[in-house]
Amino acid sequence: MEEDWDTMIVLDACRADSFQSVADLDRFDTYDPRVSLGSHSSEWTRRNFQGGSFGDTVYVSANPHTSLEAGDAFHRVVELWETHTDEDWGVVPPEAVRDAAIEAHAEFPDKRLIVHFMQPHGPFIGSVIGDDHRNESEYWQAYAENLEYVMGYVDDLLEAVEGKTVVTADHGQAYASGLTERLGIGGHKPRLRFPSLVKVPWAVRDGERREIRVGETTEAKGEQVQDRLKDLGYL
């Protein structure tokens, strides 16, 4: 939160190398990958936000860990996983995140904005491939397609919301096979510091800065946390 931005877009489980392959880096003013504080959403949320008071920030989230780990840290948490989960896919689609982010910015123009998409994290929309898929090349193809899918909505936000915008990720992703499977490294387990799990994108798009004001913090409700975590494969 000490970094200088007006809007931070978080792509869940997005590896830096995958972002570099899929995203049009020319759309950004600077690109410099960072090392995440966590290899899992819960760990990342705790280490960045838990116990903090960010009354200058509205968090639009498709990830239940936001409310579970830091639901009282922000001016407002927009809990899309409560209201906009696609029951067929078990995940909040990116268009719902985009639309909610634009609405939140209109309602709170003097607040910083965190926009947390669930993609490219599974379930992969439009694909039958899951984290337990046994063909590695097919798995990474489905992952890349999910990332390509969400990037269209990221581009929409870059155009619709003024200010300095950063695109990053909470953590990366690993594929479990051979030694990595025996070591339990596949997916994105917490407290692991492997590059594939903690090296994340940090792409900056400059823009006319917003005037940010601090307000009070409120507490998220998070009534369906356990059900949605199960949908997303966390439980």
Side-chain angles (χ1 to χ4, degrees), residues 26-152:
D26 291 336
R27 297 205 64 191
F28 299 95
D29 293 285
T30 61
Y31 178 73
D32 183 23
R34 303 290 180 88
V35 176
S36 174
L37 293 179
S39 57
H40 186 277
S41 295
S42 60
E43 180 185 23
W44 179 82
T45 305
R46 284 196 304 272
R47 298 188 70 177
N48 281 288
F49 309 122
Q50 194 175 76
S53 180
F54 308 110
D56 64 346
T57 304
V58 172
Y59 200 131
V60 177
S61 184
N63 190 319
H65 286 295
T66 307
S67 296
L68 184 65
E69 303 292 351
D72 61 351
F74 304 98
H75 182 68
R76 181 76 60 85
V77 177
V78 181
E79 300 172 284
L80 293 178
W81 48 273
E82 286 274 1
T83 58
H84 286 76
T85 295
D86 184 303
E87 298 298 339
D88 291 330
W89 292 109
V91 67
V92 179
E95 55 265 35
V97 181
R98 175 203 58 194
D99 294 347
I102 293 172
E103 291 174 7
H105 174 55
E107 184 177 357
F108 305 103
D110 61 349
K111 298 293 182 282
R112 300 171 98 190
L113 189 64
I114 300 176
V115 184
H116 194 143
F117 290 92
M118 272 311 304
Q119 293 74 31
H121 188 291
F124 301 145
I125 295 176
S127 174
V128 297
I129 292 174
D131 284 343
D132 58 351
H133 191 71
R134 304 317 299 170
N135 184 300
E136 184 171 2
S137 63
E138 291 177 354
Y139 172 84
W140 285 120
Q141 178 63 31
Y143 173 92
E145 289 172 356
N146 214 31
L147 177 54
E148 290 172 353
Y149 179 48
V150 73
M151 283 304 300

Side-chain angles (χ1 to χ4, degrees), residues 145-201:
E145 289 172 356
N146 214 31
L147 177 54
E148 290 172 353
Y149 179 48
V150 73
M151 283 304 300
Y153 299 97
V154 171
D155 290 342
D156 290 344
L157 288 181
L158 291 174
E159 299 303 323
V161 180
E162 75 277 7
K164 182 177 182 179
T165 300
V166 169
V167 182
T168 186
D170 50 355
H171 55 79
Q173 181 76 357
Y175 181 81
S177 65
L179 180 60
T180 59
E181 185 174 28
R182 291 194 293 275
L183 293 175
I185 297 172
H188 43 268
K189 303 292 193 302
R191 298 180 298 279
L192 294 175
R193 306 305 292 169
F194 293 92
S196 61
L197 296 179
V198 295
K199 188 176 181 181
V200 297

Side-chain angles (χ1 to χ4, degrees), residues 215-230:
E216 62 182 4
T217 58
T218 59
E219 187 164 0
K221 300 183 184 301
E223 296 176 355
Q224 302 181 69
V225 169
Q226 299 303 315
D227 289 342
R228 296 314 182 195
L229 289 176
K230 185 176 181 180

